[in-house]
């Protein structure tokens, strides 16, 4: 690592003919760029190809709305894919606590918290080729990195959707 640039080559599988060659970051302006590294690590650990931080109304009657992305990191398409209809109806964790839900081939979600009438989730999809659940040791890392994202959201006041 030189001059603050992170070399991602060790994480890429050069032997894979279908290796992703995109690295599209949507919504990563200013302070939001701080989400890129933990989000990228989570995508890698979950064996996915796209990750995002999404928000949806916290009122039960409005949860059928499509979640709105705050930031998206797409390792398969450029520009980043912004359709998150497969994550409609995400629920908060029990008692409002963070919770990791491994959805297998449909990805994973981590409830990050609630703020300003919105539920916030970290999501990873593009895990269709994964054959097993995320290993327990990786779940701990994913929860730790999700905590970093929650800290950015709530303590740095980034949990607001810009016009």
């Amino acid at each position: 690592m030189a001059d603050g640039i992170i070399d991602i080559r060790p994480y890429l599988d050069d032997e894979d003919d279908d290796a992703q060659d995109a690295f599209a970051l949507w919504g990563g302006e200013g302070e939001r760029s701080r989400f890129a590294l933990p989000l990228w690590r989570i995508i890698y650990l979950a064996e996915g190809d796209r990750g995002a931080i999404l928000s949806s109304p916290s009122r039960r009657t409005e949860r059928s709305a499509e979640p709105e992305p705050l930031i998206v990191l797409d390792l398969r398409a450029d520009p980043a894919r912004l359709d998150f209809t497969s994550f409609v109806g995400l629920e908060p964790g029990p008692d409002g606590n963070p919770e990791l839900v491994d959805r297998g081939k449909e990805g994973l979600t981590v409830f990050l918290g609630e703020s300003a009438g919105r539920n916030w989730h970290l999501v990873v999809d593009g895990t269709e080729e994964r054959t097993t659940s995320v290993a327990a040791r990786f779940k701990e890392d994913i929860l730790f990195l999700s905590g970093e994202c929650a800290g950015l959201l709530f303590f740095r006041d980034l949990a607001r959707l810009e016009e």
Side-chain angles (χ1 to χ4, degrees):
M1 187 164 106
D3 299 325
I5 297 172
I6 299 167
D7 184 3
I8 65 170
R9 287 177 289 192
Y11 295 94
L12 300 176
D13 183 6
D14 293 335
E15 297 174 14
D16 184 4
D17 293 334
D18 298 326
Q20 286 79 23
D21 55 2
F23 192 93
L25 184 63
W26 178 90
E29 301 84 22
E31 286 285 306
R32 288 192 205 174
S33 66
R34 295 176 180 264
F35 289 111
L37 184 58
L39 193 55
W40 173 66
R41 278 290 292 145
I42 292 168
I43 294 167
Y44 174 75
L45 292 170
E47 299 178 49
D49 62 27
R50 179 176 71 154
I53 295 180
L54 306 178
S55 74
S56 56
S58 57
R59 290 189 187 143
R60 186 169 292 280
T61 57
E62 299 175 17
R63 287 201 190 136
S64 62
E66 184 174 344
E68 296 181 49
L70 177 74
I71 188 165
V72 179
L73 177 56
D74 197 326
L75 302 177
R76 190 179 81 190
D78 188 6
R81 297 164 289 154
L82 301 178
D83 177 18
F84 290 95
T85 53
S86 63
F87 292 102
V88 169
L90 290 174
E91 293 287 327
D95 301 322
N97 294 322
E99 177 183 34
L100 185 149
V101 177
D102 187 350
R103 301 169 57 173
K105 293 182 183 290
E106 295 176 12
L108 67 82
T109 65
V110 179
F111 176 66
L112 300 176
E114 189 272 335
S115 176
R118 301 192 70 79
N119 288 327
W120 292 87
H121 286 85
L122 185 146
V123 301
V124 175
D125 64 356
T127 58
E128 296 85 12
E129 295 183 20
R130 196 171 61 173
T131 56
T132 61
S133 297
V134 175
R137 70 181 189 277
F138 293 155
K139 286 182 180 180
E140 291 176 13
D141 290 342
I142 290 170
L143 284 170
F144 176 82
L145 293 163
S146 297
E148 286 186 22
C149 291
L152 289 168
L153 271 175
F154 304 122
F155 297 120
R156 289 206 177 244
D157 198 27
L158 297 179
R160 50 196 148 86
L161 298 174
E162 303 290 333
E163 292 292 325

